[in-house]
């Protein structure tokens, strides 16, 4: 399996055993992973309740990081 961002994300969650299933089910990008719900976890094969909670919490943090970043912007134009 090649190393990608989802692999690294699951590694930080200590859930690396699901990496192949995530990729096989089309979850090969964190943008896609932000959409994960219970039916998706069923399809991926995440049955352990505390693993599911850990993934849901990580997805929530990914979404919060997006909301925080959405308020930040910069311009390359010089200021007057």
């Amino acid at each position: 399996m090649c190393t990608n961002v989802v692999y690294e994300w699951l590694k930080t969650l200590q859930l690396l055993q699901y990496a192949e299933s995530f990729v096989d089910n089309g979850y090969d990008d964190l943008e896609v992973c932000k959409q994960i719900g219970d039916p998706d976890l069923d399809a991926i094969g995440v049955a352990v309740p505390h693993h599911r909670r850990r993934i849901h919490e990580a997805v929530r943090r990914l979404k919060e990081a997006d909301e925080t970043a959405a308020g930040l912007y910069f311009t390359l134009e010089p200021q007057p």
Side-chain angles (χ1 to χ4, degrees):
M1 173 193 313
C2 67
T3 301
N4 69 17
V5 68
V6 174
Y7 176 91
E8 293 299 326
W9 181 62
L10 290 169
K11 185 176 176 182
T12 64
L13 298 175
Q14 298 178 343
L15 297 172
L16 202 49
Q17 67 268 35
Y18 300 111
E20 189 172 340
S21 292
F22 265 71
V23 173
D24 288 349
N25 283 279
Y27 296 95
D28 56 355
D29 179 286
L30 289 182
E31 287 302 313
V32 178
C33 288
K34 290 176 193 173
Q35 308 306 315
I36 289 176
D38 283 320
D40 305 300
L41 293 179
D42 292 339
I44 292 167
V46 182
V48 180
H50 68 274
H51 289 180
R52 293 172 76 94
R53 282 192 300 275
R54 200 179 309 166
I55 291 169
H56 281 305
E57 177 64 22
V59 167
R60 184 189 60 76
R61 286 193 307 267
L62 286 174
K63 289 178 180 178
E64 284 177 356
D66 269 2
E67 290 170 7
T68 302
L72 302 175
Y73 68 94
F74 64 94
T75 178
L76 297 176
E77 297 176 9
Q79 296 296 316

